[in-house]
Amino acid sequence: GDSWGIFTFLCAALCNLPALPALNCSEELGAGQSIQQTYDLTRYLEHQLRTLAGTYLNYLGPPFNEPDFNPPRLARAERVPSATVDLDLWRGLTDNARLAANYRAYSRLLCYLRVLDGQVGTAELRHRLAHFCASLQGLVLSIGGVMSSLGYPLPAGPAGPSAPPGAPAAPNDFLKKMDDFWLLKELQTWLWRSAKDFNRLKKKVPPAVVTLRLEARGF
Amino acid sequence: VSPAADPAVISPQDPTLLIGSSLVATCTLSPDFPLKAEDLYWTLNGRRLPAASYSALGPSTLSVALARLNGSRQQSGDNLVCHSRDGGILAGSCLYVGLPPEKPVNITCWSKNMKDLTCKWAPGTEGETFLHTNYTLKYKRRWYGQDNTCQEYHTAGTYSCHIPKDLALFTPYEIWVEASNRLGVAVSDVVMLDILDVVTTDPPSDVHVSRVGDLEDQLSVRWSSPPALKDFLFQAKYQIQYRVEDSSEWKVVDDVGNQTSCRLAGLRPGTVYFVQVRCNPFSIYGSKKAGIWSDWSNPTAASTPRSERVAGGCDPKGGEQNTTLRRELKQFFGWVKKHAYGCSNLGIKLYDQWRVWLQKSHKTRGLAQP
């Protein structure tokens, strides 16, 4: 349940701290294990999102919380790169491009969610959002860790807590509700897609044999 | 590919209304949209509104009349939506229908060791305003000083706030709560207090409960006064509560005064008791006024001794019976070893034989039948 997920998340976060001084891990351990942990984290977030989305959509009220709700995406500036992509294009992505797409998407999604956090009404919703944002931050760190361990540079982009530029605020409350709906939908789609992305990466970078050389100095 | 402009515009956009009021809303199609007024319909919170309440105000404008509105279904606003015939959403407006807030009431405050102030309150009697209502706790020193606003909310429940520092002693404070929502503002009555009047402290530390020698109806309780108190000229009074392990009824010892030990008497022998102590800092700077009771200390457990000699306590016969049984078992296995040649077949016949032998030997020894 939740405690398993939190443990996984913490492991993912810890794995990406600067190398622990006492251990001397091999590089492959970093990449292989990190990919598995990132995969696990996306599954955990997917589970958490179901509860968060349910609560949030109920707060927005019908028709937003109806199962078949499918509003138009009005032509406003595209906020988040869409997760949906041509199948052949997706298959042909290099590891770097695949990871970078995930990293960029979640960084932006995190920014938007944080803005949401400052605006919602009920205390329960704020609490759930804060928890989710913390987990999502862990995912971004985890993906960054995988990229570093494979030698890829991190994509430049909005890293701060402020809302990214080029995203105008909705002109009225109803359009804002639509934006929130689509944000949650996009988040859901990305998490589905990421599970497949990381599954694919897992097969290309298998976890190597663990070689730990502990400095035996009076231990 | 959707057009650059929104397909339609609703008026009024996101209005705020009093419960029971009526509203006429219009949906005006954008000029380059190929629909007409008769192609539109309205929904409110997902439910279609009756066509009888519609009225075409022009070729591309449809209005709807809503009467005697109820309070909003959700605090984010009721969703009034203008649809095209095939169900597509053209525009929407959030209706905020509710009541202005009532005056917050029952403001109570307490200070932990004179270092801070926490206050809680209750919303006005109506309670449900259907709109998101913001509460702000304000305070100022009486006669001078400006208004200050409390920043840390929800520290002791939903309607609470914590002021962590910069509080003066020996001066009365005026405290009040402002409630505001889209429909108005309400201010509570002002509460006046001196920090010294509402002081509470930590529960006593190092609570130890021990037996009093062999006395089976008494326990001795010892504790230390909370460390924070020693900085101030407090006296403290204490209260003890205790209960038997499997009961939920607490007995309270009230008149403990300023000591740091107390003896509980009239207890049941051989019973486990849970004991808690709490503290009230009073006579702050000699004022003789009571403060606010602290939380109870964590429960400490201890048991009263059980006497061996009191009848009805431990059964002496039972004890003797136990040793008799052990002796008999030893004898039995010894006998078995001797008589069960080679095979360890402890059948029921063998056991019966042993019982018979036992009775015979008891008769010879003059012991009571087991």
Side-chain angles (χ1 to χ4, degrees):
Chain A
D2 261 339
S3 47
W4 165 85
I6 290 170
F7 174 69
T8 315
F9 155 57
L10 285 172
C11 281
L14 276 172
C15 253
N16 294 294
L17 290 174
L20 301 165
L23 299 175
N24 213 329
C25 310
S26 74
E27 277 295 312
E28 280 99 76
L29 165 66
Q33 291 293 77
S34 292
I35 291 174
Q36 178 62 46
Q37 279 161 359
T38 311
Y39 171 82
D40 291 338
L41 202 45
T42 62
R43 300 313 304 273
Y44 170 62
L45 277 163
E46 211 189 321
H47 165 78
Q48 227 190 323
L49 180 60
R50 254 176 262 141
T51 318
L52 173 65
T55 312
Y56 197 75
L57 293 175
N58 280 336
Y59 171 72
L60 296 183
F64 294 94
N65 58 354
E66 282 162 7
D68 53 355
F69 184 59
N70 192 23
R73 292 190 88 154
L74 301 176
R76 303 174 4 84
E78 270 303 305
R79 304 210 304 177
V80 186
S82 179
T84 48
V85 66
D86 176 70
L87 184 60
D88 290 323
L89 208 74
W90 180 77
R91 279 214 194 100
L93 285 172
T94 62
D95 292 345
N96 189 2
R98 192 179 299 280
L99 286 163
N102 274 268
Y103 186 88
R104 262 188 243 109
Y106 288 118
S107 300
R108 294 199 81 173
L109 284 163
L110 187 57
C111 281
Y112 288 118
L113 274 179
R114 281 183 173 146
V115 172
L116 213 66
D117 194 9
Q119 297 164 343
V120 290
T122 69
E124 185 211 355
L125 212 39
R126 274 196 297 270
H127 176 76
R128 282 195 200 274
L129 260 173
H131 185 202
F132 190 85
C133 281
S135 306
L136 194 55
Q137 169 83 81
L139 179 59
V140 173
L141 284 173
S142 193
I143 300 172
V146 172
M147 293 184 80
S148 301
S149 65
L150 291 175
Y152 300 133
L154 289 181
S162 56
N172 64 55
D173 293 350
F174 188 79
L175 285 176
K176 174 158 193 324
K177 285 192 178 186
M178 296 251 270
D179 283 349
D180 294 349
F181 174 85
W182 281 114
L183 178 61
L184 291 171
K185 257 285 183 289
E186 206 55 72
L187 199 41
Q188 188 177 53
T189 316
W190 263 108
L191 289 169
W192 283 342
R193 174 179 148 175
S194 291
K196 296 178 176 53
D197 279 322
F198 286 99
N199 234 347
R200 212 176 168 81
L201 285 164
K202 253 198 288 187
K203 297 184 180 124
K204 298 176 108 193
V205 187
V209 173
V210 177
T211 45
L212 295 170
R213 283 177 280 128
L214 290 163
E215 302 280 310
R217 260 196 233 118
F219 279 108
Chain B
V1 178
S2 1
D6 292 334
V9 168
I10 291 185
S11 176
Q13 181 71 57
D14 309 332
T16 304
L17 305 148
L18 212 51
I19 285 185
S21 47
S22 300
L23 176 72
V24 173
T26 60
C27 180
T28 306
L29 291 163
S30 134
D32 28 276
F33 217 71
L35 284 183
K36 294 194 286 283
E38 50 258 32
D39 298 324
L40 309 174
Y41 70 92
W42 294 90
T43 61
L44 181 63
N45 288 328
R47 284 155 113 226
R48 194 164 180 146
L49 292 169
S53 56
Y54 303 169
S55 174
L57 299 182
S60 50
T61 305
L62 182 70
S63 76
V64 66
L66 302 161
R68 289 179 305 278
L69 289 163
N70 288 323
S72 283
R73 187 188 180 283
Q74 55 272 339
Q75 284 193 354
S76 64
D78 291 322
N79 301 312
L80 179 66
V81 183
C82 175
H83 299 259
S84 59
R85 193 196 297 266
D86 60 357
I89 291 178
L90 301 173
S93 177
C94 293
L95 309 181
Y96 301 95
V97 188
L99 298 164
E102 296 266 316
K103 271 169 42 160
V105 292
N106 298 345
I107 301 178
T108 45
C109 303
W110 62 93
S111 169
K112 195 81 174 299
N113 302 320
M114 304 193 296
K115 294 210 167 66
D116 62 8
L117 191 67
T118 308
C119 294
K120 65 180 194 334
W121 62 90
T125 41
E126 278 310 310
E128 177 68 89
T129 55
F130 303 96
L131 303 170
H132 173 68
T133 305
N134 239 339
Y135 293 90
T136 310
L137 182 98
K138 293 198 169 157
Y139 59 103
K140 70 185 265 274
R141 281 152 73 176
R142 199 179 189 206
W143 302 309
Y144 61 106
Q146 1 131 270
D147 290 2
N148 299 292
T149 307
C150 180
Q151 306 290 339
E152 297 173 25
Y153 289 87
H154 318 301
T155 52
T158 317
Y159 305 109
S160 65
C161 197
H162 177 240
I163 304 164
K165 56 188 175 126
D166 298 334
L167 290 165
L169 301 176
F170 306 114
T171 177
Y173 271 91
E174 291 182 354
I175 299 174
W176 67 98
V177 179
E178 293 176 5
S180 79
N181 66 24
R182 287 168 185 262
L183 280 171
V185 179
V187 182
S188 71
D189 293 334
V190 174
V191 158
M192 204 124 59
L193 54 81
D194 193 315
I195 305 289
L196 291 178
D197 293 338
V198 292
V199 182
T200 185
T201 185
D202 309 297
S205 51
D206 303 326
V207 178
H208 292 296
V209 185
S210 47
R211 294 178 172 182
V212 184
D214 285 333
L215 296 174
E216 45 193 46
D217 66 333
Q218 296 188 20
L219 285 173
S220 162
V221 189
R222 261 173 238 287
W223 59 89
S224 312
S225 69
L229 280 186
K230 65 173 162 46
D231 296 334
F232 311 117
L233 292 173
F234 282 146
Q235 289 205 328
K237 46 180 190 171
Y238 299 94
Q239 240 183 24
I240 302 174
Q241 71 174 7
Y242 63 95
R243 67 174 172 87
V244 182
E245 180 173 20
D246 45 10
S247 157
S248 52
E249 252 188 71
W250 291 97
K251 280 216 177 74
V252 178
V253 181
D254 225 337
D255 43 1
V256 181
N258 196 17
Q259 321 126 241
T260 55
S261 67
C262 179
R263 197 183 279 200
L264 304 173
L267 306 177
R268 280 213 312 247
T271 318
V272 176
Y273 281 88
F274 289 123
V275 181
Q276 292 178 302
V277 190
R278 67 177 180 175
C279 175
N280 185 324
F282 87 111
S283 187
I284 295 156
Y285 294 107
S287 79
K288 297 272 189 298
K289 267 200 208 166
I292 297 177
W293 286 105
S294 73
D295 289 334
W296 290 104
S297 63
N298 282 329
T300 310
S303 63
T304 44
R306 178 199 290 276
S307 155
E308 292 296 329
R309 276 170 278 126
V310 177
C314 203
D315 186 21
K317 281 219 184 90
E320 278 186 26
Q321 244 175 6
N322 280 339
T323 35
T324 309
L325 186 60
R326 290 198 76 177
R327 227 184 15 232
E328 285 176 352
L329 275 173
K330 263 184 145 169
Q331 288 169 349
F332 172 56
F333 287 119
W335 182 88
V336 160
K337 259 181 155 168
K338 259 203 273 176
H339 293 89
Y341 306 104
C343 61
S344 48
N345 195 356
L346 292 170
I348 194 70
K349 273 204 172 148
L350 208 59
Y351 178 75
D352 284 343
Q353 281 176 354
W354 171 72
R355 292 286 294 177
V356 165
W357 170 88
L358 201 60
Q359 275 185 354
K360 283 200 196 133
S361 75
H362 269 170
K363 276 206 181 119
T364 20
R365 275 186 274 167
L367 286 172
Q369 297 282 355

